[in-house]
Every structure is written in structure tokens, then in C-alpha cells.
Amino acid sequence: MGKPKHLTNKQNPFAKKKRHNKEKADEPPARREKPYESIVLKNESFEAYYKHQQICSSEEEWDQFIEHMRKNLPVTFRITGSKAQANLLLKLIKRDFFDEYFRAVKELRKEEEGAHVEPPQCLGWYPGEMAWQLELSRKDIRRSEPLFKLHNFLISETSSGNISRQEAVSMIPPLVLDVQPHHKVLDMCAAPGSKTAQLIESLHAGEGTGIPPGFVMANDVDNNRCYMLVHQAKRLNSPCFMVTNTDSATFPSMQITKDGVVSPLKFDRVLCDVPCSGDGTLRKNADIWTKWNLGQATNLHGLQYRILKRGAELLEVGGKLVYSTCSLNPIENEAVLHHLLKQTDDSLEIVECGHMLPTLKYSKGMTYWEPATHKELKYYKSFDEVPENQRTVLRPDMFPPAKEESVEKFHLDRCLRILPNQQNTGGFFVALIEKKKPLPWESTDTKEDNGQDLAKGSEAPEPPTKKAKYMRGFKEDPFVFFDDNEDVFESINEFYKLSEGFNPRNLLTRCKVGKKKNIYFCSSVVRDLVQLNEKRVKFINLGVKSFVRCVTRNIKCEFRLAQEGLANVNAFIGERRRVKVQPSDLIELLSCTDPTKPPEIAALTAETQENLKNFDSGSCILQCELDELNLAVVGWKGAVSLRAYVDQYDTVHLLRLLGGDLSKFEKNKFQDKLRAEQEGEQKDDDGDEDIVENESPSPGEGEVAPTEETA
């Protein structure tokens, strides 16, 4: 889930304006004035307000709720990737880390009287045992030497995209959205991107189905946070994913080619994880205790409504939308839903989704609440009671529906409220909405756009008018797709013997003139969307790097394969550039840490040497069978040597799956710090080894260009 959603000054009335310039951006982030330990975890207004709203069912549960709110949040992670790799990684985690973790925690808490150590807990509501919760907080793991191997594991596997360090409740919205490979998906407020990553994984969940026909479009209003999305999604290497940068409340109507006709784009699934006050994240954002007030929720209600309304307009009839926040406040949750539902008659319906999350404990949505002024906490049962001077703060749409119609008509009780005390998580709110028929104000007239007749009854209304657009953030390089006359494609096609099913028009570069350095691959539907809508919305990123220019002597093709894009182009590459290697050989290749001295072919197994006979030098695919798992790795065949062309994090991941020696990659920062102190050097307490949840280094880091010898 990350921190509460970022708000621009335009969206956030109570935020101070900030300067944005290159000089400011280059400055390191300032350290907080007080550590979390010194923050008083108490706010009388917070406690009084939520106790009055009766978000807990009893006094006993309230005490448990407050107690959990003041505890550190436990670490949670989920295993991603293909089914075969995920199952093998889960097996290795159970074998290599859970026992060590249990022993280390017992050692850390041996002096605590009556301390009970919980083993790692599987989140039973997440499918396939693929999500786990550890009793310790992230800070505990980062600062405990007995757990340095677990810490290293979490860092490397997160960076390689094979696990996601994600808060438990943040995993819920994508699960109930139930994305299928053919779905057109919009994530309206996507940054930092952990939920977006789940949506992409669901899109690719069909085993052996190739590139899915659907796509995920992830949007964020903040330009800088869009690049967080890019880094998050790059780990997944999906050709069916794109990032856009626009105000989600005024997201433009877009077009798509359907059955050869340009038609309005409607989405099958929409995620509205909207900006919120974030008081459900108090367990990891302790400074909210000192800043919390009701003014945040009342100021955000209108923005949340506008985003939800626009999401409903962009949703296909029969499609589903999830509205979610990391807030506990009914003003930001049930009131926003009620605000829209009462305007849409029976076009939208909140539907049950708790059954999709077996074993998850939650409370039902609220059907009654009392808005209050944020300074004196004066509560009102109806808008008629609100004094005139407060009616710009508390508005009619913030009040609950009449009691006699709330359950039968609006079904607010079908929403999910997750409280921290129920399963030791953060606080969260989720509602699943189904679109039964067009909204009352949606057009049913046939219109003409770009010379094409649009399908009757399917056009989304235009977003609300606003001031003239101006360029925000960085100016993006162009997206230049290949055409039938692309000069470099002929050599790529000839060298890799691409199959007839490969469409060169799905290749693109980011430059219109000059030599192409990187060639990216995207799906046909993504190409279509960009070409039809690049003047309607700002596209930040799309496509997966699949070919990289590699200047060497005596090589027939100037472009080598890129590991990031191998999974997408692998099926199209002919047998001529494939070589089968034994697991022991792949371990040898991956274990090589000196890029100037790759393993010699003569040192590999006889089977691999035989497979390399009469094999032309240059980029190739190394194929390795490991039980039921088929691994494919980009390699480079030199005159007398063979190398694996994989970045540092993927190297560690593959060696872990293969059972290779990881000792040369393990780094004990505690021992490093001790040695540095002994040598008179000073280092930061945490060094720079930890990574922030939902962030990762750029893929490709650690790759080394082929030397003349490899040519």
C-alpha cells in the first residue's frame, strides 16, 4: 500500500506549496526531526471521533483496536512470477529461511519475560500459500544481524520481481477485482504501484497462453510518481502495460480498434484506490498521530467522488470497479459511494466480495455515521442541523442515507472494513461495484469521431471541462513504432529466424533520428491504444526492452537479446539461436563474477559442448531444464567462451533456484560496518543496502557489454 496517496497542491487544499526544480530534486531527502520512537502515539480527536462513530462493535474490541494501532506493522510479502517458479521459490523459502527466522526471533526476544514467538503466518485468504506475514517489523529485520540473510533475500528477490514486499491489506483490492487475461484494466491512481503489479500478474496468470489480449493502464496525476510506477512494473516485464500521466478525475475518453472499427474505449475492470487521509496507515506512518484532523477527510471527499464518478463512466456495462482507501473515515468511504449511488439510480450496485477472501476477518460497511466539524468535534445527524457558517465544510453528500433505505437500496453493508486488530494488519476499506447498465447521463446517441461511426450506447461522456492543459514534469521521448520499411528489422529477423507470427509493428524505439540503441516490444492492443490516443493523454512508459545494440566485430546482427524482454519474444525465436545447457553449466555461467573472463566452452559438460558445435557466435538463448521448471536465459556465445547475460538480482534468483553457491553474493553489513570502524571509517547505521517498499533499481543494472574475445 505504501504511504497515503500523494496529492498535488491542486488536489490538496491543506498542503503547503512546494518548489519543483532540478536543484531541489537533486537534494537528498531531509531526515525527520523526531524519530518514530519519540512521537506520542496518541491523538484525542482521533480516538474521540472513531469511538463516536462506533467503528468497533464493543468496548473490548475498541481497546484491542487502539492497542494494535500503536504497534509496529509486521512484514508481509507475496511470491510472484510463473506458477512453477513461484512454487519452487516457496519451497526454498520454507526450507532455508523460516526455521532460521524462528530461531533468530527467539534469540532476539529471549530476555522478554513470557515472550511468545509466532512462526511465519500464511495469509490464508491469499491464493496458493503465496502471501506470508512475519511477526517482526521491517526495522527489526533490517537492524538484526541474525536475520541479515533474510534481509538480503527480501532485497534481492524484490529487485528481481519474484516477491513483492507489500502490506497485507494492500493485496486485497486486486484480488476482488478478479482480473482475467482478456480484460482491459485501468488503475486510476496507481503510484507507487504495488497493486498495479498485482493487476499485471493477474493479467498474465494464464499458464502457457502466451501474450494476453488484455492490458493494464496505470495512471497517476503526479509526474514524479509515474516513474515510481515505471520502476515497479519493469520488474514484471509486461508488454501489455502502459503508464499515463493525467488527472484521474478528468481522465479523457479514449479510443480502441474493435473488430476493425475505431470505437470508444470502455474498461472491463477499474481500480479507484483514491488519495485519502491515510489514517489506516498509522502503524507504519506514526507522524500521522500528530497531524490527524477531520479537515483532511472533508477536504478530500469531493476529489474522491470525482475520481470514482469518472471511473464509473469509463467502466463497461457488466464490468467491475473497486473503490478503496487506507482510511477508516466513513466520510471518505461509505459517504463517497452513497454520493454516487444516489445519482445513478440502479446503474451501479455494490456487490458482495467477502467470499472471495476466505479466512479474512473484516467488519461490514457502515450504514450510519455522523459528520463532525474538525475543530470542536460537534456531531450532526442531518445536514439541516449544520449551522450556516459550517455548510461549506460539511455538505449534504457527506451524510448517511435514510435508515429505512440504506440497506435495501444502497447495500453499503457489503463493503469491507479491515481493522488492525482483526488480523494484525493496517486499516483499510474496500468496496466492489458492478455496472448493471449505462449511467443516466451517458450518451446513447451514435456519434462520429475521426470519420468512424461509434457503437450506439457505448460512448463514455467527456470528462468535466477544466483550464487549458500545460505540460507537467518531463517531456517524454517519442514512441516510434516500426513500419514495413524498418531497416534494422531485416538483420534481426534473419539472425534470430523469427516466426511468421511475429509482428514487427509491435517493436518501437524512443528516438526518431539517429541510431537506435534499445528496441522495445509491446502487444498489439497497446500499440493501437498509443497510436489512437497519444494526443489525448500523456504516455510515460510502455513496452519491454527486448533488443539492445551491441557493437562488436564480425557479428551478423548488431542487436543482442535483452533478458528483460526474453519471456515475450522467446516463443518467436527460431531454434538456430537456442542452446540447451545442463544445470551445472548454468550455475557455472551465473557464478562468473569477472566479466573479462567468461567460462570457456571447453570447461563445460560434454553435452553442452556438443550442443555448441557449429553454433554461430553472438546472442543466444540458454535453455535449462530443472525438474518441471524450464529456465530460459540470455547468453552470448564467443569464439571460445560462453556467458550468461543476466543482471545481478536475476543472477542470485536463478542460482537460488538451481541450488548454486550464493556465498559470494551474500553481504553482512554488520560485519562490514565493524571492519570499517576498525579501519577508522564511518558508515551510516543502515548503509545503503535496504530498499524502500515498491522501489527497485533499474533492470539491466550490472550487465557488461561483450568484449572482443566474445565476438
Side-chain angles (χ1 to χ4, degrees), residues 11-127:
Q11 291 179 324
N12 188 357
F14 49 84
K16 294 181 180 179
K17 290 187 176 181
K18 297 182 180 179
R19 292 185 297 113
H20 291 287
N21 53 52
K22 185 178 186 303
E23 182 177 321
K24 187 75 176 178
D26 290 340
E27 294 178 7
R31 292 184 178 273
R32 71 173 60 253
E33 294 180 4
K34 294 182 179 181
Y36 280 162
E37 290 85 346
S38 66
I39 294 175
V40 178
L41 306 182
K42 187 176 179 63
N43 184 304
E44 292 183 0
S45 296
F46 171 88
E47 296 181 36
Y49 177 75
Y50 282 121
K51 200 166 188 178
H52 183 89
Q53 302 300 347
Q54 298 181 358
I55 65 169
C56 295
S57 60
S58 65
E59 190 71 30
E60 181 183 5
E61 186 186 13
W62 172 262
D63 292 339
Q64 295 171 356
F65 166 75
I66 289 296
E67 180 185 357
H68 276 77
M69 272 295 198
R70 292 176 178 141
K71 292 180 179 179
N72 286 331
L73 192 68
V75 165
T76 48
F77 66 89
R78 57 186 181 83
I79 304 169
T80 68
S82 68
K83 186 175 181 180
Q85 282 207 38
N87 285 332
L88 179 55
L89 189 58
L90 174 59
K91 179 180 177 182
L92 297 176
I93 291 171
K94 289 180 176 180
R95 185 193 72 189
D96 298 339
F97 293 104
F98 282 175
D99 287 345
E100 176 186 298
Y101 163 83
F102 193 68
R103 290 193 299 270
V105 176
K106 287 182 69 175
E107 178 67 22
L108 289 169
R109 298 191 170 174
K110 64 182 180 182
E111 296 181 0
E112 297 180 21
E113 185 177 350
H116 173 69
V117 179
E118 289 284 348
Q121 299 291 314
C122 175
L123 301 181
W125 45 266
Y126 196 94

Side-chain angles (χ1 to χ4, degrees), residues 71-77 97 100-109 112 115-121 132-148 150-151 154 165 283 424:
K71 292 180 179 179
N72 286 331
L73 192 68
V75 165
T76 48
F77 66 89
F97 293 104
E100 176 186 298
Y101 163 83
F102 193 68
R103 290 193 299 270
V105 176
K106 287 182 69 175
E107 178 67 22
L108 289 169
R109 298 191 170 174
E112 297 180 21
H116 173 69
V117 179
E118 289 284 348
Q121 299 291 314
W132 292 80
Q133 180 167 295
L134 307 179
E135 182 183 0
L136 298 181
S137 68
R138 293 175 62 200
K139 182 174 67 175
D140 293 332
I141 293 177
R142 187 171 65 244
R143 295 183 177 179
S144 303
E145 184 170 2
L147 294 172
F148 84 92
L150 174 62
H151 185 222
L154 292 172
R165 298 163 72 187
R283 298 186 67 180
N424 197 16

Side-chain angles (χ1 to χ4, degrees), residues 646-660:
V646 187
D647 74 27
Q648 57 182 323
Y649 296 116
D650 281 341
T651 293
V652 173
H653 171 69
L654 290 167
L655 282 173
R656 181 172 281 117
L657 297 182
L658 289 161

Side-chain angles (χ1 to χ4, degrees), residues 602-648:
L604 304 177
T605 62
E607 294 92 336
T608 299
Q609 291 186 52
E610 182 65 26
N611 294 337
L612 285 166
K613 281 186 177 180
N614 304 317
F615 198 91
D616 290 341
S617 295
S619 186
C620 59
I621 299 175
L622 307 176
Q623 298 183 154
C624 178
E625 294 182 3
L626 183 67
D627 297 328
E628 298 179 357
L629 183 62
N630 294 317
L631 300 177
V633 175
V634 169
W636 184 276
K637 187 331 189 128
V640 297
S641 66
L642 186 68
R643 74 168 68 212
Y645 229 107
V646 187
D647 74 27
Q648 57 182 323

Side-chain angles (χ1 to χ4, degrees), residues 408-537:
E408 294 80 3
K409 185 174 182 180
F410 298 111
H411 302 295
L412 295 175
D413 59 318
R414 293 177 179 174
C415 303
L416 309 186
R417 289 184 147 266
I418 297 98
L419 302 180
N421 53 290
Q422 290 169 327
Q423 280 185 162
N424 197 16
T425 65
F428 212 69
F429 177 88
V430 180
L432 178 63
I433 299 171
E434 184 174 353
K435 189 170 184 177
K436 299 291 187 178
K437 60 183 183 181
L439 305 180
W441 56 86
E442 287 187 297
S443 171
T444 57
D445 298 327
T446 301
K447 292 192 176 182
E448 194 171 282
D449 196 350
N450 287 351
Q452 298 287 345
D453 289 331
L454 302 183
K456 190 172 183 179
S458 62
E459 186 181 8
E462 289 298 319
T465 57
K466 60 178 183 177
K467 293 181 181 178
K469 295 181 180 178
Y470 63 93
M471 182 64 70
R472 295 174 179 268
F474 302 106
K475 182 178 180 181
E476 292 298 317
D477 292 330
F479 297 93
V480 184
F481 290 92
F482 280 22
D483 56 28
D484 294 332
N485 301 316
E486 181 56 52
D487 55 351
V488 302
F489 180 69
E490 184 177 348
S491 65
I492 292 174
N493 189 31
E494 174 62 25
F495 186 73
Y496 294 104
K497 296 296 181 185
L498 299 176
S499 64
E500 293 184 1
F502 186 84
N503 188 349
R505 291 176 176 268
N506 291 343
L507 296 175
L508 67 145
T509 61
R510 300 301 300 272
C511 61
K512 289 183 177 178
V513 295
K515 278 194 170 184
K516 300 169 177 62
K517 181 180 178 183
N518 298 320
I519 298 175
Y520 302 85
F521 174 79
C522 71
S523 65
S524 297
V525 68
V526 168
R527 182 197 70 229
D528 180 59
L529 284 167
V530 174
Q531 292 180 327
L532 287 174
N533 301 287
E534 57 187 345
K535 292 184 179 179
R536 299 167 184 256
V537 68

